[in-house]
Amino acid sequence: MSSNGPSLSRRSSLADYISAIPRPRLASLRSRKSTASLHVDPYTPYAVHRQKMSPAILRDADATQKLLEAILDTPGGRRSLSRLARTCKAFREPALNVLWRDLDSLTPLLGLFPSTILRRARRPGLGLTKAPEKQDWEKLLAYGQRVRSVAYVESSGNIHPSILPLLDEHKPVQYILPNLTALTWKVESAAGLERCRMFLGPQVEAVTLEVGAARSAKLNDILEEIASHKGLTAFAFTLHTNLPDDLTERLHDNVALEKVALHAPGALAARVGKWAAGLPQLRTFAVDLSARTATAVEGFFEDISPGSGYSTPSSVGGTDSGVFSGDEVDFSEARKAAVRLTRDGPRRGAFAKLSNLTLTGDAANLATFLKHLTSPLAQLDLVMEDPPAAVDWHDLCTIVCDHFADTLQSLRINATSGSRFGELVRATSRGGDLPMRELPLTYLSSLPRLWRLEIDLPESVIFRDKDIEHIARICPNIEILRLCPFARFPLNGPPPPLTLESIVPLTRDCRRLHTLGVVLNAAELESDDVYSTRTVCSRSLLRLHVGHSWVKNPLQTAVLLSHLTPYLETLKFFNEKNRAGIVEANAQAWQRVAELLPHLQHIRLAERKLQPPPERYVPPPKADKGVDATVATADAAVSAHPEVVEFAVQAEPEVVEFGVQSVPETAEMSVDARPVLIEVEVMAMPEVAEQSVDAVPQTEEKGTEPISFAPASDSASESSDEGDQPVNTMPSISTIIPSAVNGIATVTYRIVNFYTAPIRFMFSFMPSMPILSRFHAPPTQYELKYAPEQEKHELPAAESSTEPSTGAPHTNGSAMAAADINPVCF
């Protein structure tokens, strides 16, 4: 056989392994001064080779992962994994990957910086003394590749606000956590929101973003960057102000979303419901219904396409009115209003693949939302206002059982933060004990696949024996049952209604129940009938949490528990002295029960082993026997001829002729239709006023000597011809008055003529007034000389028809008296 590799059959003892470890010999004092290196034997024994081989558990990566995760979940698991990584090289890498995979804070990452730049090495969240240099980032970047999810909560105060800006400005790479897949970022300030960019790496698939009341102007940019990750599978957004209007448009292309949670005003808008219902891979959905009306909850499903039943006239959500008419009236709005009022509409086919649902609000809104779903819900978490109204709680239980009875596996009911706040105020003040109310579980119907039922409410904490019996009957496969295990009943009030005998139906009928949490009153038994049968013993119940339960006799309680739960491993109860509402006597008694129970269980199991085993069930003898079951068949024909009978029926209708004389009654009536006439006379006398205008231009007399330009012969002939007449040395008026003055007079006359035209027109219709004649001033020598030929013939005629003026003579022949100017009617 070849000796290249060691034989697997060879085994070495621990002494051989230790002796085979090469140990260099120390040089003597004389040889220490020499510079020659120590000589090490190159031979390596097989034991060393064998230790370099990975353990068998490491050969399967999945098994190693599950083992390390199981160690991490145990108490002190992180410390155990840390020690395992420091002591075993084979487990170093897998253990470090599990340790650094999920971080709930940035503090472990900050602790990787050198202590020389940290303000306090044990508290790295206090800040840095200076900006980190490139060599200071080596360790952080090396461990940052292992991180898969990280959370930052600004309100916790474990990270100084100056650290994030310093990291963002001096980081040597774009993303300090390149393999990050899940980011949880909860901030109150706008500056803190901006710093999440350096963690939004290319492999981010799940983002949980919570923004306080301070609305940031860059919120839309952050949402745009988150939506740019096409591989985004989970998105949770909590906002204390109104939801952005364009959120659905930004996330329209993220069709790979499987988990969506929206907690903000405006999350119940119709556009949000349409977008969420259109996600093909949506499996988990969470929405807040607090402080909303039933109409707002109904509006979430307005734009979702309805299912069958909406096209018939009788359907509430349909648009068919049932009348065949051309102008069809749309009754959809009226029917939607009827749905809101009656809350009884057809179920819509929204969220077909939804399996996990989380709702927050009062019981009425939860029932309104759930009645629209037909998806196969496997897990339902209800964060409910406590206490709920009796009618609303009944409706909620009915809808849950009717719609999801065949698929529901987990049902958890918790209280809202407002309800918890009231409980906290009463617990930390002297406000008295919290009021306790009953929460009936008998409203639930059959849930055959339910394996988890948890109810944790501050006020509705009272359960009866009938509730436990009902749960054991309708949930035979229940595994985890918790009914308000943190409730506390004050000593001055009534004790818890449930006793140890009340859990007998659970231990008898629920054979898979392994965890039970309930507040009991471990009082003395009324009868010992429970010890007479072993059918009430539970083989599966391993963990029991009794909280603030009452107890009187620890020994009797331990004996009964050893009979009901002989394999019980963990018994939990509240024993912290600083816990509000703790009763030290009950805590000490339950501690005594926990000490006695293991010994009693050992005795109980030992006694059962000594008992003769039950008779073995022997099935009755059976024998195989064959029977010929061949069916004998025969063909047979039947001639079937129907008998036909022909007959006729003569049908003649009887006709009756009759007439009706209809004469209308008439009546004569006369009406005097003569109109009433009234004569009315109105005397209309216009008032006439005469007005004269002095149109005589101002003239000035000057003496001039006539200059004769005629020749002597002419003047002589003229003198001879006119020798009989006296010679007039006075010049003509046309030569004295300039032509410009004459034109002004003419224009003035025409203006007066124009403005008096309406008055003259009115006078023309008055019969009692005489018609005024046309009057003109006599033509002057200048007008006779320079007038056109046609006007020269008209001027003498007009002059001859006028009466001579009776006024006093004027010095100027061209002037005219004011009395001679009369209105002229044409």
Side-chain angles (χ1 to χ4, degrees):
M1 182 179 290
S2 176
S3 60
N4 294 335
S7 176
L8 295 177
S9 62
R10 179 180 176 182
R11 297 180 181 275
S12 58
S13 62
L14 181 60
D16 296 339
Y17 169 69
I18 296 176
S19 63
I21 297 177
R23 294 188 299 273
R25 299 178 58 187
L26 295 176
S28 62
L29 295 176
R30 296 180 181 179
S31 62
R32 286 179 184 177
K33 298 180 181 180
S34 63
T35 57
S37 61
L38 297 176
H39 176 71
V40 181
D41 190 2
Y43 172 74
T44 304
Y46 167 73
V48 178
H49 287 286
R50 186 181 179 187
Q51 294 300 320
K52 292 181 180 179
M53 295 177 62
S54 300
I57 190 65
L58 296 178
R59 297 176 186 175
D60 189 350
D62 295 338
T64 305
Q65 185 78 8
K66 293 183 181 299
L67 174 63
L68 296 177
E69 290 177 355
I71 297 175
L72 184 64
D73 294 337
T74 59
R78 286 190 173 273
R79 181 174 298 180
S80 302
L81 286 182
S82 178
R83 291 173 179 176
L84 183 62
R86 290 195 300 265
T87 56
C88 182
K89 292 183 179 180
F91 279 100
R92 181 176 182 273
E93 290 298 324
L96 288 178
N97 291 337
V98 174
L99 276 174
W100 289 88
R101 181 185 59 186
D102 302 320
L103 299 179
D104 56 358
S105 176
L106 297 176
T107 304
L109 292 173
L110 299 176
L112 299 175
F113 282 115
S115 59
T116 55
I117 65 173
L118 294 175
R119 292 183 179 179
R120 294 185 63 179
R122 294 185 178 274
R123 299 185 62 183
L126 294 179
L128 306 176
T129 57
K130 64 175 183 178
E133 299 180 358
K134 186 176 182 180
Q135 60 274 12
D136 299 335
W137 286 89
E138 295 179 355
K139 193 174 182 179
L140 188 147
L141 295 179
Y143 280 86
Q145 296 181 357
R146 307 177 188 271
V147 180
R148 295 296 183 270
S149 66
V150 68
Y152 172 70
V153 182
E154 187 179 27
S155 60
S156 62
N158 55 0
I159 302 296
H160 197 270
S162 63
I163 295 180
L164 292 179
L166 196 63
L167 297 180
D168 195 9
E169 294 176 3
H170 298 87
K171 61 180 185 296
V173 293
Q174 184 178 2
Y175 303 108
I176 61 178
L177 304 177
N179 298 324
L180 190 69
T181 58
L183 175 64
T184 301
W185 201 260
K186 300 179 180 181
V187 294
E188 297 292 337
S189 61
L193 177 63
E194 182 68 19
R195 302 305 173 186
C196 72
R197 292 179 180 269
M198 59 180 174
F199 299 100
L200 292 175
Q203 298 185 13
V204 171
E205 297 178 356
V207 176
T208 301
L209 185 62
E210 182 175 344
V211 184
R215 183 73 176 269
S216 175
K218 296 185 178 181
L219 178 61
N220 294 331
D221 299 338
I222 300 296
L223 294 176
E224 185 70 25
E225 186 171 352
I226 294 174
S228 63
H229 294 75
K230 301 305 179 183
L232 193 67
T233 59
F235 178 66
F237 188 36
T238 302
L239 187 64
H240 297 286
T241 57
N242 291 330
L243 201 69
D245 296 336
D246 57 347
L247 178 64
T248 56
E249 286 75 10
R250 295 180 185 276
L251 299 175
H252 183 268
D253 297 333
N254 299 97
V255 294
L257 283 173
E258 298 179 2
K259 299 179 180 179
V260 175
L262 298 176
H263 299 275
L268 294 180
R271 53 185 175 82
V272 178
K274 182 179 180 180
W275 166 74
L279 296 175
Q281 304 297 330
L282 187 63
R283 298 291 187 275
T284 304
F285 184 62
V287 65
D288 189 6
L289 310 178
S290 302
R292 301 293 185 271
T293 61
T295 304
V297 178
E298 293 280 355
F300 183 80
F301 298 90
E302 287 292 336
D303 293 343
I304 300 177
S305 58
S308 61
Y310 272 72
S311 59
T312 59
S314 60
S315 62
V316 179
T319 59
D320 187 8
S321 63
V323 181
F324 298 97
S325 58
D327 299 334
E328 185 65 32
V329 181
D330 188 6
F331 288 87
S332 59
E333 296 299 330
R335 297 183 187 277
K336 289 178 182 178
V339 169
R340 298 188 187 101
L341 294 176
T342 60
R343 301 184 182 181
D344 187 17
R347 296 163 58 186
R348 310 186 181 202
F351 306 97
K353 297 182 179 180
L354 190 64
S355 59
N356 297 345
L357 179 63
T358 302
L359 299 177
T360 304
D362 56 356
N365 287 344
L366 300 181
T368 303
F369 192 94
L370 289 175
K371 74 177 182 180
H372 291 285
L373 299 181
T374 58
S375 53
L377 288 183
Q379 180 175 348
L380 179 60
D381 296 341
L382 302 177
V383 183
M384 187 174 60
E385 296 285 348
D386 186 46
V391 178
D392 297 337
W393 171 248
H394 183 271
D395 294 343
L396 180 61
C397 294
T398 303
I399 291 175
V400 168
C401 297
D402 290 348
H403 289 198
F404 316 109
D406 298 333
T407 59
L408 191 62
Q409 301 177 8
S410 175
L411 176 61
R412 294 187 295 184
I413 302 176
N414 297 321
T416 59
S417 58
S419 302
R420 294 293 184 188
F421 181 75
E423 179 188 16
L424 179 63
V425 169
R426 289 180 178 271
T428 56
S429 64
R430 297 182 179 180
D433 295 325
L434 195 68
M436 295 184 177
R437 293 177 174 84
E438 184 178 354
L439 187 69
L441 301 180
T442 54
Y443 296 151
L444 297 172
S445 58
S446 178
L447 297 172
R449 295 192 177 185
L450 189 69
W451 63 270
R452 178 196 293 267
L453 176 60
E454 296 182 2
I455 300 177
D456 186 12
L457 299 175
E459 296 187 25
S460 303
V461 296
I462 298 178
F463 301 96
R464 305 291 180 181
D465 293 345
K466 59 182 180 180
D467 298 327
I468 300 298
E469 295 177 359
H470 186 72
I471 292 297
R473 183 172 61 256
I474 66 173
C475 304
N477 296 320
I478 192 74
E479 299 180 8
I480 301 175
L481 177 62
R482 293 188 177 95
L483 301 177
C484 301
F486 302 99
R488 57 184 179 89
F489 290 79
L491 293 177
N492 55 359
L498 298 179
T499 62
L500 277 177
E501 293 181 88
S502 302
I503 67 174
V504 170
L506 296 175
T507 58
R508 182 184 62 238
D509 300 332
C510 302
R511 291 300 179 179
R512 296 183 179 181
L513 181 66
H514 58 78
T515 302
L516 177 62
V518 65
V519 179
L520 304 169
N521 181 22
E524 297 181 357
L525 294 177
E526 297 180 357
S527 63
D528 296 337
D529 296 340
V530 68
Y531 293 108
S532 61
T533 177
R534 291 177 57 179
T535 58
V536 298
C537 301
S538 175
R539 179 63 180 83
S540 60
L541 189 59
L542 303 177
R543 290 171 289 274
L544 177 62
H545 188 190
V546 294
H548 292 281
S549 296
W550 294 15
V551 60
K552 290 184 179 180
N553 191 343
L555 180 58
Q556 184 182 8
T557 302
V559 171
L560 182 57
L561 283 178
S562 66
H563 178 70
L564 297 177
T565 60
Y567 298 94
L568 188 68
E569 297 178 355
T570 304
L571 177 61
K572 290 185 178 181
F573 53 92
F574 293 133
N575 57 357
E576 299 88 353
K577 294 183 180 180
N578 57 352
R579 188 180 184 89
I582 190 70
V583 179
E584 188 174 357
N586 291 333
Q588 293 177 357
W590 282 112
Q591 182 64 35
R592 184 61 178 167
V593 172
E595 293 174 356
L596 295 175
L597 184 59
H599 305 286
L600 295 176
Q601 286 177 335
H602 179 69
I603 296 174
R604 183 78 63 180
L605 295 177
E607 291 177 351
R608 292 180 180 178
K609 289 181 181 179
L610 296 177
Q611 293 178 358
E615 296 181 0
R616 184 178 180 181
Y617 174 73
V618 179
K622 299 179 180 180
D624 296 335
K625 184 178 180 180
V627 178
D628 187 7
T630 304
V631 180
T633 59
D635 296 335
V638 177
S639 178
H641 294 283
E643 295 182 358
V644 180
V645 178
E646 183 179 355
F647 63 94
V649 177
Q650 183 177 4
E652 295 182 0
E654 296 181 358
V655 180
V656 178
E657 182 179 355
F658 62 93
V660 178
Q661 182 180 4
S662 58
V663 179
E665 297 181 358
T666 58
E668 295 182 359
M669 180 182 296
S670 59
V671 178
D672 186 7
R674 290 179 297 176
V676 179
L677 302 179
I678 300 175
E679 295 182 1
V680 179
E681 295 181 359
V682 179
M683 181 176 183
M685 296 292 294
E687 296 181 359
V688 182
E690 296 183 0
Q691 185 178 0
S692 61
V693 179
D694 186 5
V696 179
Q698 296 180 1
T699 58
E700 184 180 358
E701 296 183 0
K702 291 184 180 181
T704 56
E705 294 180 1
I707 301 174
S708 176
F709 292 95
S713 58
D714 296 334
S715 57
S717 59
E718 290 177 1
S719 59
S720 60
D721 294 334
E722 299 176 358
D724 299 334
Q725 297 179 359
V727 178
N728 188 10
T729 59
M730 186 69 181
S732 174
I733 191 65
S734 60
T735 60
I736 297 175
I737 300 174
S739 61
V741 176
N742 192 15
I744 291 174
T746 306
V747 171
T748 305
Y749 172 73
R750 294 181 178 179
I751 290 174
V752 172
N753 222 10
F754 175 79
Y755 282 102
T756 57
I759 299 175
R760 291 183 281 107
F761 180 76
M762 185 175 60
F763 288 168
S764 64
F765 291 93
M766 299 180 64
S768 60
M769 297 179 62
I771 300 177
L772 302 179
S773 63
R774 186 176 179 181
F775 178 80
H776 292 278
T780 60
Q781 294 295 333
Y782 178 80
E783 293 175 351
L784 294 175
K785 183 177 182 180
Y786 293 97
E789 294 296 328
Q790 183 179 359
E791 294 181 3
K792 287 181 179 181
H793 296 287
E794 296 175 358
L795 287 177
E799 181 180 1
S800 59
S801 62
T802 56
E803 296 180 1
S805 177
T806 58
H810 298 276
T811 57
N812 190 355
S814 62
M816 181 175 56
D820 298 334
I821 300 177
N822 296 325
V824 180
C825 294
F826 296 96

